[in-house]
Amino acid sequence: MAIVDSRTPDPKRFLSGATGDWEIVVGMEVHAQVTSESKLFSGASTSFGSAPNDNVSLVDAAMPGMLPVINQQCVRQAVRTGLGLKAQINKRSVFDRKNYFYPDLPQGYQISQFAHPIVGEGVVMVSVGPDRQGNFEEVEIGIERLHLEQDAGKSMHDQHPTMSYVDLNRSGVGLMEIVSKPDLRSADEAKAYLTKLRTILRYLGTCDGNMDEGSMRADVNVSVRKPGGDFGTRCEIKNVNSIRFVGQAIESEARRQIAILEDGGQIDQETRLFDPAKGETRSMRSKEEAHDYRYFPDPDLLPLEFDDAFVEELATALPELPDDKKARLMSEAGLSAYDASILVSEKAIADYYEALAKGRDGKQAANWVINDLLGALNKAGQSIEETPVSPDQLGQVINLIKEGTISGKIAKELFEIVFAEGGEPRAIVEERGMKQVTDTGAIEAEVDKVIAANPDKVEQAREKPSLAGWFVGQVMKATGGKANPQAVNQLVREKLGID
Amino acid sequence: MSVDTDTVHRVAHLSRIALKEGEAERMTSELNAILGFVEQLSEVDVEGVEPMTSVRPMAMRLRDDEVTDGGKADDIVKNAPATEDHFFLVPKVVE
């Protein structure tokens, strides 16, 4: 593939070395497990955490005479993902054998796609930031291709002093390998790209994106160069399994390469592993083992072909994607770009918000989700999926404010109670006497009390009307925050004779 | 097209085939004889002819996404030289 430099060097991304600035160049290959019930070429289950070798058919174990038959759902998912990446869909693609030996690869080859992948070039828009001013920068990252391939089995090396344990449950599970162009220029961009890609996959429902279960892994290609110069020699860091580690791996690998180059050395193109405990990469394979996969078309499989109608049908049924949803929330509900970005960042947050905002004020709903709900979840170390407050419960809280039953301040307390203890917000307000006092007589009595107790402040307030706020505060305090603030404000001003 | 002994050694290594002393030389001449035979095909003019992917023109069959197999770990590891708790055991490989 001819490498095209699509980016303009940007000094704020440079790393400084002893001999001046350096620019990082990163491209990624992301392996995303296709969401499907059964495997790519066999009828065994894809479920995670089953007993060893329980989800294995004779095809997956590469027993003699077994033949692969492709799962149409995996084909659909790959095409849907391609559409979500605004990519070229190839109506004819070919499966090849990628030959290598490893104990968790019983066939001795992986069925993959080499020269003719199912999906060609596409783009992902990535938001990098926020910077110190709270601004995000939109960067377009090119997709080179997406192809379907089989996953390998799993080896465990720590169970026995001289033997490795092999479980083939993952063997033959469908993967989408999504290859980016070398368009990334910093660890932050790489992290943002991976995050965005995962969001898109989750919106589409084509991959669950659970990196700790291995359903999404990244191979990261890193090189460095003098800004705007020729691309340097790259090293590939294999199987990085968290977004945070991707960032760390890129930083440490770039530093390692810069140190070698500044000492007058040169970079050997090689495969490396990231060691999270040490925070650095190490060489994985010696050079004489350099890979020669001897790809050739798999004679067990015909080319994969489909027509425009097949693609069209999938395109029509595609869900709204994060970028479109963000634009819609900004135009329909009048949300800021920042708020909309947060709400669409995870499908579960967007779903929660949309359930809450239905029939309610969009901005108010956004504030509650972003400031209160996400804040409380973050503090409790919980994800949106684990929220103890349902959209319906939070919706009731907002309704109670709108009806004038509770004040905004009481609403925050009510939210905390529902978050900690659960329950029906309306019932809690009744039981715990949190209703706003709207009875003017009762409020008036409190206002009179405060005025009578503070004749000096009354004098001052006549001179300086802004002091009315102090009286309002006192009345609110005396009523335990339950008085209607507007009513109090009005009465205070009347009684003090200011308008 | 022809291969030399070094290439034969490399291909054998990639295929994990052990060659005994002297075998590489014999394999080199055998492989070159095969390559020479196959080379005759390039005499045929195939300009504009689509590569044939199957004897009968047909589209690849696709299956429904259903779990129809599995649950036979006993069978899967039955022929393995060493197993434990339905895992295959192989000489330790760590990278």
Side-chain angles (χ1 to χ4, degrees), chain A residues 192-210:
Chain A
Y193 165 75
L194 197 53
T195 307
K196 182 62 176 286
L197 190 60
R198 185 173 65 172
T199 306
I200 293 172
L201 295 171
R202 284 179 167 166
Y203 269 68
L204 291 165
T206 56
C207 169
D208 67 25
N210 293 337

Side-chain angles (χ1 to χ4, degrees), chain A residues 36-44 52-54 56-57 63 69-73 75 101 103 156-157 160-168 284-285 289 292 294 301-304, chain B residues 10-11 13-16 50-51 53-54 58-73 75-77 79 82 84-95:
Chain A
S36 65
E37 296 296 320
S38 61
K39 294 185 179 180
L40 182 55
F41 295 113
S42 90
N53 286 313
D54 205 33
V56 181
S57 80
M63 293 296 168
V69 185
I70 196 164
N71 180 344
Q72 58 175 316
Q73 177 65 6
V75 174
F101 284 96
M156 291 153 72
H157 306 296
H160 191 280
T162 59
M163 305 292 264
S164 290
Y165 283 46
V166 179
D167 173 14
L168 299 180
M284 183 168 161
R285 297 189 177 104
E289 287 285 302
D292 180 348
R294 294 151 295 141
L301 292 158
L302 286 164
L304 172 60
Chain B
R10 203 167 68 84
V11 171
H13 174 67
L14 286 170
S15 313
R16 300 299 187 271
E50 280 278 305
T53 49
S54 80
M58 57 188 286
M60 180 157 70
R61 286 279 190 77
L62 293 92
R63 36 169 256 283
D64 289 336
D65 183 25
E66 287 165 2
V67 177
T68 56
D69 210 338
K72 50 168 77 113
D75 290 348
I76 294 297
V77 299
N79 294 334
E84 194 176 307
D85 298 335
H86 290 131
F87 283 102
F88 292 96
L89 262 59
V90 300
K92 197 161 218 160
V93 271
V94 189
E95 295 227 56

